[in-house]
Amino acid sequence: WIAATVRARPPGSVNIAVFSPMTNLALAVLLEPRLPDLVGQVVAMGGAVTASGNVSPYAEANFAHDAAAARLVVRAFSHDKLALA
């Protein structure tokens, strides 16, 4: 659904908000490798960079529950298209 929706709209017109593990967004990137270029911005609740995580001192729950997906998404989207909160 994510890949199909983004493909059907003009580039940059779809923004994605992620409030859970990034499994579905990572799968969409695998299905549509151009997704990072087609999406306007991704805002995600996740990561523990400047504060302690809520699962461990270094892990936030949304990243910890599917670390492989989080890694794929963070690597796929440039820093100007991915905002972590």
Side-chain angles (χ1 to χ4, degrees):
W1 184 89
I2 294 171
T5 299
V6 172
R7 273 192 232 118
R9 307 270 196 273
S13 66
V14 175
N15 296 316
I16 298 173
V18 183
F19 300 103
S20 59
M22 295 188 178
T23 308
N24 290 336
L25 183 55
L27 290 172
V29 171
L30 293 174
L31 288 171
E32 176 53 80
R34 299 176 308 135
L35 195 76
D37 297 324
L38 300 174
V39 167
Q41 186 172 25
V42 173
V43 179
M45 186 172 73
V49 177
T50 60
S52 295
N54 58 356
V55 176
S56 79
Y58 305 105
E60 187 278 331
N62 291 331
F63 275 35
H65 289 299
D66 193 343
R71 183 180 302 113
L72 190 151
V73 170
V74 168
R75 289 181 176 171
F77 287 87
S78 61
H79 68 277
D80 61 322
K81 287 208 174 193
L82 177 63
L84 299 176

